[in-house]
Amino acid sequence: TARDIAILSRALIRDFPEDYAYYRLKEFTINGIQQHNRNTLLWRDETVDGVKTGHTSAAGWCLAASAERQGMRLVSVVMGSTSEKQRADDSQALLNWGFRFFESHTPYAAGATLAEPAVWKSTRDTVPVGLAEDLTVVVARGRYDRLKAELELPKRLLGPLAKGQELGRVRISLDGEVLAERPLLALEEAPEAGFFGRQYDALRLWWEGD
């Protein structure tokens, strides 16, 4: 499906940037033969840098395209077009529409402290938690202030905790729909306390109850 191709294209761009760099080339020569890129959007729009064309009698003229403008990347997928020109026109229209009516934001950066929950039976009182990678969301223009963030963490954290250990989840939603969800990680280690420290915290936890 078009969605499948979009997911594959996004994975290629994200996970294999060195390989993806070849998709922006308009032409190259191998074994003395010059090959031309069939993605005509590369000549129309300087922000377009991929991805893949295709054509069969059953599928028609197809194009998975991607462009980046002002730090936001979009992927469009067109299938079943009637001609090479039509698939390019439709892809350009989709990309232009997306960039005009949507915007990307990064509410949480990698490594930033999102919370410092208390940690028990550890040599430290709290532990900073955050994300391993930037959390970026794409929303309709003018709706960013309606985003809601939810941090989900255990009621009590017990040491020892390793740096990078998953402790909870963070969710970004818009009007009840979850747009992004990422694991919350311990940004620093929380070593286990000694015998008396553990016993003291155990007594405090028993006293406070559930």
Side-chain angles (χ1 to χ4, degrees):
T1 66
R3 180 179 178 84
D4 295 328
I5 296 299
I7 292 173
L8 288 170
S9 299
R10 182 176 61 180
L12 169 65
I13 296 167
R14 181 190 63 227
D15 299 336
F16 303 95
E18 293 182 358
D19 295 322
Y20 182 65
Y22 289 105
Y23 288 79
R24 69 171 63 243
L25 299 179
K26 295 180 180 179
E27 60 185 24
F28 67 93
T29 301
I30 184 170
N31 294 330
I33 302 175
Q34 189 177 51
Q35 304 282 349
H36 293 274
N37 196 321
R38 293 185 175 86
N39 183 1
T40 56
L41 289 186
L42 295 175
W43 283 266
R44 293 190 189 182
D45 187 338
E46 63 180 7
T47 67
V48 173
D49 54 13
V51 182
K52 181 72 175 69
T53 63
H55 173 259
T56 66
S57 57
W61 297 84
C62 307
L63 174 59
S66 183
E68 185 174 10
R69 301 177 190 174
Q70 298 180 341
M72 182 171 74
R73 175 173 292 281
L74 295 180
V75 173
S76 68
V77 179
V78 169
M79 294 179 168
S81 285
T82 56
S83 68
E84 185 174 3
K85 180 180 182 302
Q86 189 62 51
R87 74 182 178 190
D89 292 344
D90 292 342
S91 298
Q92 184 75 77
L94 273 175
L95 289 172
N96 289 342
W97 176 81
F99 283 114
R100 179 178 180 183
F101 292 105
F102 292 85
E103 57 188 359
S104 67
H105 295 273
T106 303
Y108 297 127
T113 298
L114 306 189
E116 288 193 78
V119 55
W120 301 82
K121 300 185 179 182
S122 171
T123 57
R124 59 188 304 161
D125 296 326
T126 63
V127 62
V129 298
L131 306 176
E133 299 177 348
D134 291 349
L135 193 158
T136 301
V137 293
V138 176
V139 296
R141 291 192 178 275
R143 302 185 71 185
Y144 177 71
D145 58 352
R146 298 174 62 177
L147 291 178
K148 292 184 178 180
E150 176 187 4
L151 302 183
E152 182 182 280
L153 287 164
K155 185 177 180 180
R156 289 172 176 164
L157 294 173
L158 303 179
L161 301 174
K163 182 178 180 179
Q165 180 177 337
E166 182 175 337
L167 303 178
R169 310 287 293 180
V170 58
R171 298 184 185 89
I172 302 294
S173 60
L174 176 64
D175 297 335
E177 178 186 358
V178 177
L179 302 182
E181 183 174 353
R182 300 288 188 277
L184 281 173
L185 311 177
L187 298 180
E188 299 176 9
E189 67 173 339
E192 186 177 43
F195 174 78
F196 291 106
R198 297 197 307 273
Q199 293 303 310
Y200 177 69
D201 276 358
L203 180 61
R204 293 173 61 196
L205 289 170
W206 173 81
W207 182 259
E208 292 185 5
D210 294 333

